[in-house]
Amino acid sequence: MSFGQLPEKNIHEIHENALNLLESTGVLFNDPEAVEILTSHGASADGSIIRFPRNMVEEAAKKVPSEFDLYGADGNALRIGGNETHFAAGSCGIRIRGKEGAIKQSVGVDLRDIVRLTDGLDNIALASSSVVPHEIPEAIGDSYRVAQLLQNTRKPFVTGAFSAQGLFDIYELLEAACGGKDALARKPRAVLDVCSLSPLKWTDVSCRNLIDGARLNLPLELISAPLIGATAPMTLYGCVLMHTVEILSGIVLIQCVNPGNRVVYGGAPMYFDMRRSTTSLNSVETSLVGAAYAQMGRFYGLPTHIYACLSDAKSNDAQAGLESGISALMAAQSGFNIISGAGMLEFCNTFSLEKLVIDNEIIGMVKRLAKGVSCGEEEMAAGLIGEMGPGSDYLSTGHTFKWFRKEPYLPSDVIDRKNLELWQSEGCRTAEQKASDIVSKKLAQVNGKPQEIKDAAEAVWEKIRMREGS
């Protein structure tokens, strides 16, 4: 059973209504050049509100590649699209939860540690600009975060720019690290988030990021974040429609600028809890909205993204575990290609290194579930069962020796499977305490990032810092 899956007729119904809204109501683009580009390609404008002919929208969606590769510093490719599912660390937190439970504003060393820890966790495929360092001047914040990523992880990553200039600074860093413009185009290191502003609006900064990112041929991940009951309809079906309209409008602008530019159909649906006036990214309703828009992304033949494997809890407690586990499993079951959010607490505001380690185990289990049951002849073991007969011991067989590391997922010590007496003798330690040990161990290990890439990123970063006088 797949929760949240829409019947085929409803997918087409959303598509048709999205085209009608794009043609009749339109979307606001708060940038004169965006308006000029779109109208020159056949859209109509009423001030900053753009209305799109349906054929313009459908043709733009067809130009987006259904799959593309991101590359790590070691040159290994990570396929984005198709049936591939990859988890990424959460992004854009403003606070950090220390191992003693204290919550404070995030700083540069926190970002460095998160990136280094992510680099050492096998089940998390993409790093991220996970927190905003508060001591770094805003003018160089975008480039600082990407410099930290390039210097501290081998993995491809998810990032983004909070300013128009920031995107160019990010591009310069990526170009230097990859060895030039052509090399970056062939083997991109990162996908860049660009967020709409519900309802039905692209801000001046997001418009610039769409236009400039497309001109620079960067893979762009469009994030619509409709707030159920506040900036989007209270009904989940209406929220999916709002999401579809916003993402399609961004795709049109990108494809007008650079036909064939790589785009990820992404989002971060939220639920407005009217009892607390908070914005939950992890209610069951947001997971249902996500499952539905994953279908819409596949309908358009595009790679997909969601925020999941995160929690609204403030500590690594039972709530954090149940919310992260349920949303991670549902996102993977929905077929998302990129699932961002590992390590995040408190409405995606607080990052926890210990939670990132725990989430690495959640993700490992989800990936094992996704593999399902392998049904080959050797796995069936009919001959072995017949040979062993009743009352036998399989522990010492060659079949068990071969399969005991291949068949199960073997978690780290974060997952406790000791007997009660041993657990008590070792101090009755919690998952968070054991995760803290792993954090310390991982951060003490030497980072294996190629020195030449570190040097290239550092040189460009110094130039940007000198330019801004920081």
Side-chain angles (χ1 to χ4, degrees):
M1 176 189 236
S2 294
F3 296 118
Q5 297 296 297
L6 298 176
E8 190 71 21
K9 70 180 183 66
N10 296 114
I11 295 173
H12 289 277
E13 189 175 64
I14 288 176
H15 171 65
E16 288 299 322
N17 278 277
L19 292 178
N20 290 339
L21 286 168
L22 284 162
E23 194 164 37
S24 60
T25 302
V27 175
L28 193 153
F29 286 80
N30 194 25
D31 179 80
E33 188 178 13
V35 173
E36 181 183 349
I37 291 168
L38 290 167
T39 54
S40 69
H41 283 78
S44 61
D46 180 5
S48 297
I49 296 175
I50 301 296
R51 298 183 175 89
F52 303 83
R54 59 186 296 134
N55 68 303
M56 184 181 184
V57 179
E58 291 179 314
E59 288 304 311
K62 290 176 184 176
K63 293 175 183 175
V64 181
S66 60
E67 300 179 352
F68 64 91
D69 290 331
L70 291 178
Y71 292 83
D74 52 12
N76 291 332
L78 193 71
R79 177 54 54 95
I80 308 298
N83 295 321
E84 298 292 324
T85 294
H86 307 292
F87 284 81
S91 59
C92 293
I94 57 174
R95 290 184 274 274
I96 191 82
R97 186 175 191 273
K99 67 178 181 178
E100 302 300 329
I103 296 174
K104 64 180 183 64
Q105 286 188 329
S106 50
V107 294
V109 69
D110 297 321
L111 176 58
R112 183 203 65 190
D113 287 348
I114 293 167
V115 175
R116 288 181 176 178
L117 180 60
T118 303
D119 195 62
L121 296 175
D122 292 341
N123 295 321
I124 300 175
L126 295 110
S128 172
S129 46
S130 296
V131 292
V132 178
H134 280 79
E135 84 278 25
I136 303 300
E138 185 177 341
I140 58 171
D142 295 328
S143 54
Y144 178 87
R145 291 189 295 276
V146 172
Q148 287 291 324
L149 284 157
L150 289 170
Q151 292 168 357
N152 291 293
T153 183
R154 308 176 196 85
K155 296 179 179 181
F157 53 87
V158 181
T159 189
F162 291 150
S163 68
Q165 179 58 46
L167 186 136
F168 289 101
D169 292 341
I170 289 171
Y171 180 81
E172 192 173 1
L173 282 161
L174 292 171
E175 184 182 11
C178 292
K181 176 180 178 181
D182 292 340
L184 175 58
R186 288 193 308 272
K187 294 186 174 182
R189 289 289 314 279
V191 60
L192 274 72
D193 287 347
V194 186
C195 300
S196 59
L197 180 64
S198 298
L200 307 179
K201 180 178 179 180
W202 293 92
T203 67
D204 53 348
V205 172
S206 60
C207 285
R208 292 314 318 166
N209 284 178
L210 292 174
I211 294 168
D212 298 332
R215 283 177 176 155
L216 294 170
N217 198 27
L218 292 169
L220 300 174
E221 186 167 81
L222 304 190
I223 305 295
S224 168
L227 182 55
I228 302 167
T231 65
M234 187 67 232
T235 54
L236 307 190
Y237 200 32
C239 189
V240 176
L241 176 59
M242 174 84 75
H243 179 279
T244 307
V245 172
E246 291 182 3
I247 295 296
L248 287 177
S249 67
I251 287 172
V252 175
L253 178 56
I254 291 168
Q255 298 306 312
C256 286
V257 174
N258 181 26
N261 199 88
R262 294 156 288 196
V263 179
V264 178
Y265 192 97
M270 295 182 285
Y271 166 69
F272 183 66
D273 190 322
M274 297 180 188
R275 301 168 304 168
R276 306 294 184 211
S277 296
T278 53
T279 55
S280 170
L281 278 89
N282 210 67
S283 69
V284 292
E285 291 77 18
T286 60
S287 290
L288 286 167
V289 170
Y293 85 67
Q295 288 181 273
M296 297 308 301
R298 289 195 298 275
F299 173 78
Y300 296 115
L302 306 181
T304 54
H305 159 277
I306 194 173
Y307 279 85
C309 197
L310 40 72
S311 175
D312 300 330
K314 316 309 178 286
S315 64
N316 290 306
D317 57 10
Q319 178 185 339
L322 73 89
E323 288 181 342
S324 300
I326 289 172
S327 66
L329 180 57
M330 189 158 177
Q333 186 182 46
S334 299
F336 280 102
N337 302 122
I338 299 176
I339 302 171
S340 296
M344 299 304 300
L345 294 164
E346 195 238 329
F347 317 114
C348 216
N349 286 319
T350 298
F351 200 98
S352 164
L353 292 163
E354 287 74 24
K355 184 176 187 295
L356 187 66
V357 170
I358 296 169
D359 289 345
N360 185 63
E361 299 302 333
I362 291 174
I363 294 164
M365 294 178 187
V366 168
K367 289 169 69 174
R368 179 62 189 91
L369 284 166
K371 286 173 64 177
V373 177
S374 182
C375 298
E377 183 177 346
E378 187 176 359
E379 290 91 325
M380 177 75 77
L384 177 66
I385 295 169
E387 177 187 335
M388 299 293 288
S392 297
D393 175 10
Y394 287 80
L395 190 60
S396 59
T397 66
H399 186 274
T400 297
F401 186 77
K402 177 178 179 179
W403 285 94
F404 87 102
R405 289 191 183 277
K406 295 172 62 175
E407 189 76 342
Y409 171 69
L410 299 176
S412 74
D413 288 340
V414 167
I415 304 302
D416 189 89
R417 292 178 179 171
K418 301 180 178 75
N419 62 38
L420 178 62
E421 291 75 20
L422 181 56
W423 176 72
Q424 290 174 330
S425 71
E426 293 180 350
C428 308
R429 305 185 77 234
T430 65
E432 183 173 34
Q433 288 171 329
K434 290 181 285 185
S436 182
D437 291 345
I438 293 175
V439 170
S440 298
K441 181 179 178 181
K442 293 283 186 183
L443 293 182
Q445 294 172 348
V446 177
N447 181 260
K449 192 73 179 60
Q451 187 61 44
E452 65 273 14
I453 294 178
K454 288 184 179 181
D455 292 344
E458 180 65 25
V460 174
W461 159 243
E462 284 295 331
K463 185 176 77 170
I464 293 168
R465 191 167 67 177
M466 292 291 290
R467 183 197 71 209
E468 298 294 338
S470 300

